[in-house]
Amino acid sequence: MPLKQVLSCIQPTGEVHLGNYFGAVKNYVDLQSKYECKYGVVDYHAITMPYDIKKLRYNTWDLIFSLMAVGVQPENLFVQSLVPEHAELGWILNCFCAVGRLTNMTQYKDKSLSVNQGGKETYISAGLLDYPVLQAADILIYKADFVPVGKDQSQHLELSREIAQRFNHFVGQTYFVMPEALYTESPNIRSTADPLRKMSKSAGEKHYISLFSEPPRIRKQIKSAVTDVGTNDGEHMSPGVANLFVILKAASATSEIYKNLLDDYKNGTLRYGDLKHVVAENLIDLLLPFQEKKKEILADKKRAKERIKASSSIIRKKAQETIREVKDLIGLLNVRF
Ligand code: TYM
């Protein structure tokens, strides 16, 4: 039996945070021993919002180094713009997706609102609207069976399936595989500064905890985590406390400490200061080896970059094969120059 295919991607828009890691990247690493995995750093996606040219290139490489540092194997990594067939398939799939589905996407609505914040005159790009179709192309081009993502991507995943179905119906055969989302046990990490919103970079610095922050900063951020918003009626855990427990469990799944703290909570004897202390120290223990590894990778950046260029070129072959098949299926010319 051929190995099942796994594909996921992440945008180079800044540092990797706990939401990315516990929601998706941890799965990227774990799935490598079971399946054939490909993970893309999607720079074409990152230009759909206003951005800084120099920072994009820096962020693309920095994200690659971070993913390698947490255990993603370099041969499974590629940079999206080095595999331009993603954009080509994206164009084709545009013709299998209704505009109304795109204007309805929650992330499009949220992001298009944020584009006009801050008083700078700017515009909502057609790329932002079209983004989920490119995402469908990222997935379908490798005929991925599984897509490890956080819960915020479930609507995009559903659209990818719809596009695949419409395409398959049009060509009269099950050409594209129906991709399935894979979630971790913590697919929705909240901001510690405002647990009513998800942890994300776009909300600002205090809303995310980077995997590569120095321990004092991690302690400070966890110490100031908000615990008293939302329901706190003694029966239901408030979202802030629940989030700290989720983070603790994700950081040290087998720990007895987790169970003890949860018992304290149930008995009404939990001191939030104690919980925060344990969360911060567990996180630091988890993250320090990643931080050390990243330093090693950065010490020989050139080698790491060469490896990723090589893996992107190998992964591209598979994408080219799909494009050739798709062109044949839908009646486009298929000449090899
Ligand atoms: P991006 O770059 O915003 O996030 C990368 C991954 O991290 C997950 N994630 C979270 N999970 C749990 N809690 C959070 N607070 C949290 N924040 C982020 C995301 O769900 C994602 O899995 N559109 C995608 C990138 C993409 C993609 C793809 C993903 C492009 N093409 C193809 C899968 C397959 C995005 O913007 O993710």
Side-chain angles (χ1 to χ4, degrees), residues 41-168:
V41 168
V42 286
D43 46 357
Y44 282 148
H45 281 271
I47 63 174
T48 58
M49 292 285 278
Y51 73 99
D52 180 308
I53 298 175
K54 277 204 199 111
K55 269 197 197 148
L56 176 61
R57 203 161 286 148
Y58 172 86
N59 285 341
T60 299
W61 284 119
D62 189 62
L63 180 53
I64 289 279
F65 303 146
S66 298
L67 292 171
M68 285 169 66
V70 303
V72 179
Q73 288 157 17
E75 59 273 25
N76 294 340
L77 275 170
F78 67 94
V79 176
Q80 187 186 33
S81 62
L82 297 181
V83 188
E85 287 73 18
H86 285 236
E88 189 173 359
L89 184 62
W91 175 257
I92 292 172
L93 296 182
N94 273 324
C95 307
F96 294 85
C97 178
V99 177
R101 290 294 284 122
L102 298 177
T103 47
N104 261 334
M105 290 282 128
T106 315
Q107 285 215 341
Y108 170 70
K109 289 184 195 160
D110 291 350
K111 286 196 175 177
S112 48
L113 277 180
S114 74
V115 164
N116 285 325
Q117 276 169 8
K120 274 194 210 148
E121 202 187 313
T122 181
Y123 59 91
I124 297 158
S125 75
L128 185 64
L129 175 69
D130 202 29
Y131 177 114
V133 181
L134 183 57
Q135 179 159 349
D138 299 335
I139 298 168
L140 300 178
I141 205 159
Y142 301 111
K143 307 195 182 135
D145 299 284
F146 301 125
V147 186
V149 280
K151 262 281 147 63
D152 60 332
Q153 295 300 316
S154 58
Q155 209 183 21
H156 290 164
L157 249 288
E158 203 37 54
L159 185 72
S160 300
R161 293 164 62 90
E162 263 176 55
I163 291 174
Q165 241 152 3
R166 187 163 293 151
F167 183 95
N168 287 352

